[in-house]
Amino acid sequence: QVQLVESGGGLVQAGGSLRLSCAASGRTFSEYVMGWFRQAPGKEREFVAGIRRSGGNTYYADSVKGRFTISRDNVKNTVYLQMNSLKPEDTAVYYCAADRAPYIKTTLYEYDYWGQGTQVTVSS
């Protein structure tokens, strides 16, 4: 069982940056692939970024590639999402998720555990 708690969301102007954190409980954090998803009002939840267990492999949605960076600290049981050059279309609730499979997946129903989400609002 893994419990996930996101933090770091807020209001930022277009072009600005935010760093999201997701703290995980439990001793087995390093056994999970971690992902970030987001859900904008009236839209489906979508994949943003994923990172494998060791942190050596990452994958991004095309919409955030080159602007967002996912990383993890397996000692602190935390996964991060550094978001730069933010755009108004990045406005959404951002969720972290954990998956026991050994590779990164982009479909939300394949993730086993979810956080409660943190709001990111980018003003124009």
Side-chain angles (χ1 to χ4, degrees):
Q1 186 98 14
V2 176
Q3 292 185 328
L4 304 171
V5 179
E6 301 95 336
S7 61
L11 174 64
V12 64
Q13 288 189 331
S17 298
L18 280 175
R19 187 195 196 201
L20 305 183
S21 299
C22 172
S25 65
R27 304 180 198 177
T28 59
F29 175 74
S30 60
E31 297 178 4
Y32 290 85
V33 165
M34 298 300 296
W36 284 97
F37 288 75
R38 67 186 181 186
Q39 187 166 18
K43 295 188 177 182
E44 294 186 352
R45 194 172 299 187
E46 63 175 4
F47 174 82
V48 174
I51 187 166
R52 291 187 69 168
R53 296 167 177 173
S54 67
N57 186 267
T58 58
Y59 185 74
Y60 298 92
D62 288 343
S63 58
V64 307
K65 202 172 294 183
R67 300 188 298 123
F68 290 11
T69 302
I70 188 171
S71 61
R72 66 189 296 162
D73 186 330
N74 286 343
V75 174
K76 295 182 178 179
N77 284 6
T78 302
V79 61
Y80 305 96
L81 186 68
Q82 178 67 44
M83 305 186 295
N84 298 329
S85 302
L86 282 162
K87 305 175 181 179
E89 51 263 43
D90 294 319
T91 295
V93 177
Y94 283 72
Y95 300 88
C96 70
D99 180 14
R100 283 171 289 191
Y103 48 90
I104 299 168
K105 299 173 185 173
T106 61
T107 48
L108 64 93
Y109 66 84
E110 294 187 279
Y111 281 76
D112 302 300
Y113 303 102
W114 291 85
Q116 83 290 348
T118 185
Q119 176 70 48
V120 172
T121 303
V122 184
S123 63
S124 57

